[in-house]
């Protein structure tokens, strides 16, 4: 049964400006939460049901750690990644599999080429084609297999929605989002995908980042009273190894480099979520599924959530995350700008459909 209404209450989030005219407008939903999970700003409908796509990966990684997955931080970050298929990512996937006594033949994700163009060119030049190991979800799938080995579960059907691993994922998604999934489908990589609300997705990222933030400086591997809990382990792995979560030039990697302790993860079809060390958080869904406005929205929403108040935050680097040029004749003739906190002359953050 198809649930209608993702467009209900959607508002403009970003404009594409070419020359002195607005050429296109991206509508959607966005929410910013404070450390207590209360709404600070809502553009559109925070309760909109969405497919979180790959923004769900950190939650899946938490479920895996709870089930016995034990990886060093850089490989745990890869377990929550939509990686670019660069050599460091492929080597990491091989390391996860080898640690579980498995090979790439055990992967059941959809084959794909590296997302990073130079890596894809090198891969094709070497006579290779689209494979499971180069597809962006292979870190998650390798970690799922390693979890099954650690827990004593069957690896052949690890993608079945009723497999113990996927039942554990569903329970973790329900707990961290505060919302029981009303819909279940299959993600692009072949893994089960659980729906949630935009506010629930933001809430989960606030929980993750806040758990790591309570343990002090990033990079600290254990609290005084023992090992980090799974939420903190996943969050700290991602924020200290952002290059493993995405890759060269990707907005979630750049955002985590710009603001210490931030946990950010994009998803397909215009989804993104992020959490700050104090437990503040955000999530948004671009209605038309476009990737184009996502960097600008991530940077603006992080500012609205208080990212520049985080110790060590680099304002210039965060501005750079959100810069999306519009080209004409190969040179910049415009930009993608948000209507949340745009430049002078842009629409105000508090306007029709935007609540603060």
């Amino acid at each position: 049964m198809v649930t209608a209404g993702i467009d209900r209450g959607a508002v403009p989030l970003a404009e594409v400006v070419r020359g002195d005219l607005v050429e296109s407008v991206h509508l959607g939903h966005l929410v910013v939460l404070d450390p207590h999970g209360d709404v600070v700003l809502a553009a559109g409908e925070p309760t909109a049901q969405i497919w979180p796509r790959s923004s769900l990966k950190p939650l899946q990684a938490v479920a895996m750690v709870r089930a016995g997955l034990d990886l060093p931080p850089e490989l745990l970050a890869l377990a929550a990644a939509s990686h670019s298929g660069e050599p460091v990512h492929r080597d990491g996937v091989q390391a996860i599999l080898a640690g579980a006594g498995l090979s790439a033949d055990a992967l059941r994700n959809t084959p794909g080429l590296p997302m990073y163009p130079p890596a894809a060119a090198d891969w094709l030049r070497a006579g290779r084609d689209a494979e499971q190991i180069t597809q962006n979800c292979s870190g998650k799938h390798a970690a799922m297999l390693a979890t099954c080995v650690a827990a004593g579960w069957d690896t052949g059907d690890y993608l079945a929605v009723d497999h113990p691993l996927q039942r554990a994922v569903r329970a973790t998604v329900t707990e961290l989002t505060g919302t029981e999934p009303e819909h279940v489908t299959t993600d692009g990589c072949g893994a089960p995908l659980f729906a949630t609300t935009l506010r629930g997705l933001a809430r989960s990222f606030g929980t993750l980042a806040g758990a790591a933030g309570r343990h002090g400086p990033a990079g600290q591997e254990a609290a005084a009273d023992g090992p980090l809990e799974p939420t903190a382990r996943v969050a700290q792995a991602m924020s200290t190894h952002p290059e493993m979560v995405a890759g060269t030039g990707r907005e979630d990697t750049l955002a985590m480099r710009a603001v210490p302790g931030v946990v950010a993860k994009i998803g397909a079809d215009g989804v993104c979520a992020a959490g700050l060390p104090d437990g503040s958080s955000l999530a948004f869904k671009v209605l038309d599924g476009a990737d184009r406005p996502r960097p600008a929205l991530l940077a603006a929403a992080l500012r609205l959530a208080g990212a520049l108040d985080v110790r060590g935050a680099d304002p210039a680097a965060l501005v750079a995350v959100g810069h999306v040029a519009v080209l004409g004749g190969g040179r910049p003739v415009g930009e993608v700008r948000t209507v949340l906190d745009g430049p002078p002359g842009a629409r105000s953050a508090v306007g029709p459909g935007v609540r603060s």
Side-chain angles (χ1 to χ4, degrees), residues 214-232:
R214 287 192 297 274
H215 290 295
Q220 181 176 317
E221 295 300 331
D225 57 351
L228 296 179
E229 64 269 29
T231 50

Side-chain angles (χ1 to χ4, degrees), residues 206-218 229 232 235-236 239 261 263 276-279:
T207 298
L208 265 67
R214 287 192 297 274
H215 290 295
E229 64 269 29
Q236 198 170 91
S239 65
V263 177
L276 278 66
D278 69 349

Side-chain angles (χ1 to χ4, degrees), residues 29-31 33 39 41-49 197-200 355:
H29 309 279
L30 180 147
V31 66
L33 306 180
V39 176
L41 182 144
E45 295 298 330
T47 58
Q49 285 274 336
T197 65
L198 198 67
R199 182 175 182 176
R355 303 184 297 280

Side-chain angles (χ1 to χ4, degrees), residues 1 16-17 22 24 52 78 133 180 200 205 225 250 269 285 299 301:
M1 178 178 177
V16 180
V17 181
V22 173
S24 304
L78 188 60
I133 199 164
E180 175 70 34
F205 273 71
D225 57 351
R250 305 270 298 282
D269 272 74
K285 161 68 180 174

Side-chain angles (χ1 to χ4, degrees), residues 93-94 97-98 102-109 128 131-133 145:
V93 174
Q94 294 281 20
L97 291 168
L102 300 170
S103 71
D105 292 338
L107 293 169
R108 295 290 180 268
N109 56 300
R128 309 292 289 268
E131 297 181 21
Q132 276 89 355
I133 199 164
L145 286 163

Side-chain angles (χ1 to χ4, degrees), residues 6 43 63 66 88 116 132 135 149 185 218 221 227 231 245 273 326 333 345-346:
I6 185 64
R66 288 175 171 176
V88 67
Y116 184 51
Q132 276 89 355
Q135 196 261 351
V149 171
T185 189
E221 295 300 331
T231 50
V245 176
V326 172
V333 295

Side-chain angles (χ1 to χ4, degrees), residues 138-151:
S138 62
K140 177 183 77 175
H141 282 256
M144 285 183 168
L145 286 163
T147 302
C148 290
V149 171

